Amino acid sequence: MKILVIGSGGREHALAWKLRQSPRCAEVFCAPGNAGTAGVGRNVAVSIADFEALVGLVESQDIGLTVVGPDDALAGGIVDHFQALGHRIFGPTKAAARFESSKIFAKEFMQRHGIPTAAFGRFSDAEEARAFLEGQRYPLVVKADGLALGKGVIIAADRAEAEAAIAQIMEERQFGEAGARVVIEEFLAGQECSIHALVDGRDYVLCPSAQDHKAAFDGDLGPNTGGMGACSPAPVLTPELEERVRSEVMDPFMAGLRAEGILFQGLLYPGLMITPEGLKVLEFNCRFGDPETQVLLPRLKSDLVDLIEATIDGTLAQHPPEWDERAAVCVVMASGGYPGIYEKEKPITGLAEAAESALLFLAGTATRDGATVTAGGRVLGVTAMGADIRAARDAAYAAVRRVSFAGAHYRRDIAAKALAPD
Ligand code: AMP
Ligand code: GLY
């Protein structure tokens, strides 16, 4: 079977790499892909927003399965579009993807079904949102309702900052229509981690826990990025807490789907905060995380094509995945200046040497005259496995040091929290 992966990040390189290992996979296509996916299969220069052209590709190449990476394609209804034309595709429909594309939808669902989350208010009127600030405790979190490239969350230290956030999101529309409505919620202190679950509409299976590092600089300082590195497992999610993820998050989530007649098939990835009062859901994502996928898929021993098909067919209960006991750590190397303004077209050296001892998942990269150059903010993820997190971390950094490009920056403390939990 031929398989199409939609997207162009490190996540999509990891997906393409893992799918290609399946004996059932004849060829991988990637739209639009990057320099890394070009080494696994065939890149096709089609925009992820051009559903017609993507269907055209599937039909002309006789592609039997499409796997979607990015949230905006799901929120835009790519799955509905493919399904209406009889094509097999992995991911939730537009209606089911609202768990990610509307924070208000997700929060109200959690409230209806008793899933622990921060106390919140929801507003479509800036005046009312401002009035709500009276008497609140700070910090307070102001979130655009819709998708905002991971930037629509503002942690306001005091009332003035909260007012500025409301103005930015709702009045100046910094994130466009995503800011027509906002959620204002209680600030939660604790350690963040996440868990990925495959959901087939009836059952779910949990993947191992993972921890992202969203801040740009060491010590969780600086602006938020798409993710500067990850490790799996996340020791903060103890077996006892993992059991609570099942009983307090996933079981009520599945019961809520049934009660409301929502068919969710795909990947559900709740972002979690482990607080002194227990675990709380920060958000739901409806697709594989990036860079989390770059530590989870190397740990997956089972065939990813089988798992994805079982998710689409509602037969996950018969296909429990098997996981490698070893730990995995991924360090993201980014362009200088990211997540702000950065330069592109910087030649990358040392990739072959680093690949001798680590897995390289390329992201913002392109090929120029046979050489690999930078073409985005997050340039590549360097993943290593080890008997424990320390060994994986050391191996990942040893490989990172072999890669260079002008202006490269990466965090030196990926997995440090996992080694010394708070
Ligand atoms: P979200 O997109 O909702 O996950 O928010 C992005 C990031 O903002 C999260 O990964 C957290 O680091 C932070 N965040 C979101 N909500 C809260 C909250 N209620 N309390 C503290 N931090 C939060
Ligand atoms: N790692 C953050 C995300 O994928 O949303």
Side-chain angles (χ1 to χ4, degrees):
M1 174 169 60
K2 296 180 186 172
I3 302 175
L4 170 64
V5 174
I6 292 179
S8 60
R11 164 183 55 202
E12 285 76 16
H13 185 184
L15 284 166
W17 165 82
K18 184 66 186 173
L19 291 165
R20 188 67 193 90
Q21 288 169 20
S22 168
R24 300 184 48 216
C25 176
E27 188 173 6
V28 173
F29 290 75
C30 212
N34 61 41
T37 59
V40 179
R42 205 182 327 164
N43 285 350
V44 186
V46 178
S47 152
I48 64 165
D50 191 346
F51 298 170
E52 297 298 332
L54 291 169
V55 165
L57 171 65
V58 162
E59 291 178 350
S60 65
Q61 293 292 340
D62 197 20
I63 288 168
L65 175 66
T66 298
V67 180
V68 185
D71 52 12
D72 41 359
L74 296 167
I78 191 168
V79 169
D80 311 61
H81 191 87
F82 270 56
Q83 284 178 346
L85 296 167
H87 296 299
R88 262 165 99 69
I89 183 162
F90 173 80
T93 58
K94 181 174 182 163
R98 277 181 300 166
F99 286 103
E100 178 162 8
S101 64
S102 170
K103 290 190 190 292
I104 292 177
F105 177 81
K107 295 288 290 191
E108 293 187 335
F109 181 91
M110 287 192 265
Q111 198 171 43
R112 283 196 295 279
H113 300 289
I115 298 173
T117 189
F120 71 103
R122 48 153 296 180
F123 304 93
S124 49
D125 180 86
E127 234 13 87
E128 282 174 30
R130 269 192 284 272
F132 178 79
L133 299 180
E134 177 70 39
Q136 294 291 334
R137 281 201 304 189
Y138 292 86
L140 198 61
V141 186
V142 184
K143 302 183 173 185
D145 174 53
L147 296 179
L149 300 170
K151 293 180 182 146
V153 174
I154 297 174
I155 297 181
D158 53 33
R159 185 165 170 174
E161 283 189 20
E163 286 192 5
I166 291 168
Q168 243 173 27
I169 296 175
M170 300 188 83
E171 291 169 341
E172 293 153 31
R173 290 290 164 95
Q174 201 170 76
F175 310 110
E177 277 310 292
R181 302 189 296 168
V182 294
V183 168
I184 302 183
E185 71 180 28
E186 156 198 26
F187 176 83
L188 299 174
Q191 211 184 128
E192 255 184 279
C193 64
S194 70
I195 200 147
H196 281 50
L198 286 160
V199 178
D200 71 3
R202 272 180 260 192
D203 298 298
Y204 67 87
V205 294
L206 288 185
C207 305
S209 60
Q211 194 159 41
D212 188 8
H213 296 64
K214 287 193 171 127
F217 307 125
D218 289 4
D220 287 335
L221 299 174
N224 260 359
T225 68
M228 294 297 291
C231 77
S232 176
V236 65
L237 204 78
T238 58
E240 187 244 324
L241 279 173
E242 189 174 313
E243 209 35 58
R244 289 176 65 178
V245 171
R246 290 178 195 279
S247 61
E248 295 177 17
V249 181
M250 293 308 300
D251 295 344
F253 179 83
M254 300 301 290
L257 293 183
R258 276 192 296 277
E260 299 191 21
I262 301 169
L263 178 63
F264 187 105
Q265 291 184 308
L267 197 293
L268 184 82
Y269 135 38
L272 304 169
M273 187 72 91
I274 312 301
T275 75
E277 295 86 51
L279 62 90
K280 307 245 176 162
V281 175
L282 286 175
E283 61 168 347
F284 284 120
N285 298 299
C286 295
R287 34 106 200 146
F288 287 96
D290 195 356
E292 289 89 330
T293 303
Q294 301 179 51
V295 288
L296 291 175
L297 292 184
R299 295 189 63 199
L300 177 63
K301 291 207 267 189
S302 312
D303 185 322
L304 181 59
V305 176
D306 287 347
L307 268 182
I308 281 183
E309 294 224 294
T311 306
I312 296 173
D313 294 336
T315 57
L316 269 178
Q318 288 109 65
H319 294 85
E322 281 184 57
W323 299 95
D324 194 320
E325 285 301 315
R326 288 176 299 165
V329 170
C330 170
V331 178
V332 170
M333 301 185 73
S335 294
Y338 172 79
I341 297 162
Y342 53 84
E343 290 178 16
K344 298 183 187 174
E345 303 289 330
K346 307 289 181 199
I348 309 171
T349 59
L351 292 172
E353 293 79 2
E356 285 168 13
S357 58
L359 292 164
L360 304 190
F361 297 119
L362 304 196
T365 50
T367 307
R368 300 271 181 264
D369 305 323
T372 307
V373 301
T374 67
R378 290 192 290 180
V379 173
L380 76 157
V382 178
T383 297
M385 313 267 299
D388 55 21
I389 291 172
R390 190 178 301 278
R393 191 258 330 247
D394 292 347
Y397 277 110
V400 163
R401 285 191 288 271
R402 303 175 100 165
V403 178
S404 66
F405 52 91
H409 90 83
Y410 58 89
R411 279 180 60 162
R412 265 68 175 174
D413 66 346
I414 300 303
K417 258 190 298 218
L419 290 169
D422 287 343

